[in-house]
């Protein structure tokens, strides 16, 4: 394994190739933020691998090949195929619980109870898993579940739930 690049060498590489990588990836992807991500990824690969180059031409060829391959990887990524632009997502309203529904009653609980009740009953997490997710003891989650159920019971009875 090669030693990491010296800061001066890393700075030289950035100064020499950042514009090339950005232009090439923008040409490939037609999106500024994606081009910036590719630029960052290429430099990370360069810093992690610290390859030995036989000549400046070899160095430049490696940069170009890595940039093109990173662009191709981005274009075929699952995330890119399934993601929607923020503008499209903003047009879709969040689902609202119907009045009298179980979720509407859960939403009336204080936040600390609402969260654990939702994770436990709607998402199917165990108390131990919820504790891990929230970074608190399992006994705290169990207590919040018990208290949440106690607060939820009168709300559900007022809505006609048995």
């Amino acid at each position: 394994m090669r030693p990491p690049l010296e800061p001066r060498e890393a700075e030289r590489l950035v100064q020499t190739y950042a514009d090339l990588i950005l232009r090439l990836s923008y040409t490939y992807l037609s999106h500024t933020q994606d081009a910036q991500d590719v630029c960052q990824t290429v430099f990370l690969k360069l810093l992690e691998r610290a390859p030995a180059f036989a000549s400046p031409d070899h160095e430049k060829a490696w940069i170009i090949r890595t940039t093109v391959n990173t662009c191709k990887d981005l274009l075929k990524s699952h995330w890119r195929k399934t993601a929607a632009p923020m503008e499209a997502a903003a047009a879709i309203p969040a689902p609202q619980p119907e009045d009298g529904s179980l979720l509407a009653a859960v939403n009336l609980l204080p936040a600390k109870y609402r969260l654990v009740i939702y994770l436990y009953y709607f998402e199917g997490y165990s108390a131990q898993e919820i504790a891990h997710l929230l970074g608190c003891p399992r006994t705290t989650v169990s207590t919040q579940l018990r208290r949440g159920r106690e607060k939820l019971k009168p709300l559900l009875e007022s809505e006609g739930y048995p």
Side-chain angles (χ1 to χ4, degrees), residues 17 21 25 36-48 62-68 70-71:
Y17 295 112
I21 296 168
S25 55
Q36 291 169 343
D37 288 347
V38 166
C39 186
Q40 216 172 20
T41 302
V42 169
F43 281 120
L44 281 173
K45 287 178 182 180
L46 183 60
L47 292 173
E48 288 171 352
W62 187 92
I63 296 281
I64 290 171
R65 186 75 253 155
T66 303
T67 301
V68 169
T70 304
C71 288

Side-chain angles (χ1 to χ4, degrees), residues 40-114:
Q40 216 172 20
T41 302
V42 169
F43 281 120
L44 281 173
K45 287 178 182 180
L46 183 60
L47 292 173
E48 288 171 352
R49 296 178 186 156
F53 298 113
S55 68
D57 288 338
H58 180 223
E59 180 180 85
K60 187 174 183 178
W62 187 92
I63 296 281
I64 290 171
R65 186 75 253 155
T66 303
T67 301
V68 169
N69 287 342
T70 304
C71 288
K72 287 180 180 179
D73 289 346
L74 182 65
L75 287 173
K76 66 184 176 186
S77 73
H78 175 72
W79 178 87
R80 187 162 177 105
K81 292 176 185 175
T82 57
M86 288 296 287
E87 297 79 27
I92 301 170
Q96 298 298 316
E98 298 173 19
D99 288 337
S101 73
L102 182 58
L103 185 56
V106 170
N107 282 338
L108 295 174
L109 294 173
K112 65 181 178 180
Y113 304 129
R114 180 174 57 230

Side-chain angles (χ1 to χ4, degrees), residues 8-20:
R8 185 171 288 161
E9 176 64 6
E11 188 175 322
R12 179 194 69 81
L13 291 167
V14 169
Q15 300 237 344
T16 305
Y17 295 112
D19 286 342
L20 169 68

